[in-house]
Amino acid sequence: GLTGYFGVQKMWDTFAYAAIGKKTLIQGQLWDGAIKLIDSTKRSNWQRDIATILSVYYLINVPGSTSFQSWGNGYYYGSSNTYTYNYYKAGVPMNMAYQPTKMLQVDIGTPKTSISSLIPNPRREFMSYQTTTKVPQNGYTVIGNTSSLRLYHPELSADG
């Protein structure tokens, strides 16, 4: 989600690392979606959850700086085969079962650096970036938004 413990609004560090030339790995774990809440034996639920984590990756993707890894639905991983409790089909190597290979073959283009041409409405809202801080209050603090050229974090320095 946007604001959960690891929500998209708290993934500002991906962009900060890219700005200084560092690469990041974005991992998506398949655990709390349709496979857990609806039915883990249906292929369509697995595909839906894989598409969801890939969508989140595309929201924060910085071409040339980020990589994606789709994680299974538990803490056991490797080349052993899936079972009916950890994939819709038993017998598929786990390190291949959860990968959205066909989806990744679709070229969706590159991210826009500005939304002004996409959303001509002067009341458009930019997504806020948040992080846990103790200053000015204990909890989540907005440190900038998607239009910010610089993020402000009061615990790092006087000027952010």
Side-chain angles (χ1 to χ4, degrees), residues 96-154:
M96 296 175 68
Y98 313 111
Q99 301 305 315
T101 306
K102 289 185 179 183
M103 286 187 238
L104 287 167
Q105 292 172 351
V106 176
D107 182 2
I108 64 166
T110 56
K112 294 284 186 188
T113 55
S114 170
I115 66 166
S116 59
S117 63
L118 300 174
I119 306 171
N121 184 338
R123 294 182 300 151
R124 66 182 153 265
E125 292 185 38
F126 296 91
M127 187 174 76
S128 298
Y129 291 128
Q130 304 175 36
T131 193
T132 303
T133 57
K134 293 182 180 173
V135 177
Q137 60 191 8
N138 196 8
Y140 291 112
T141 301
V142 173
I143 59 173
N145 65 44
T146 52
S147 71
S148 301
L149 298 176
R150 185 171 182 199
L151 301 177
Y152 177 73
H153 192 304

Side-chain angles (χ1 to χ4, degrees), residues 18-36:
I20 60 172
K22 301 285 184 186
K23 296 183 183 289
T24 55
L25 173 67
I26 309 300
Q27 291 184 306
Q29 186 176 17
L30 304 163
W31 186 245
D32 286 325
I35 57 172
K36 182 177 181 182

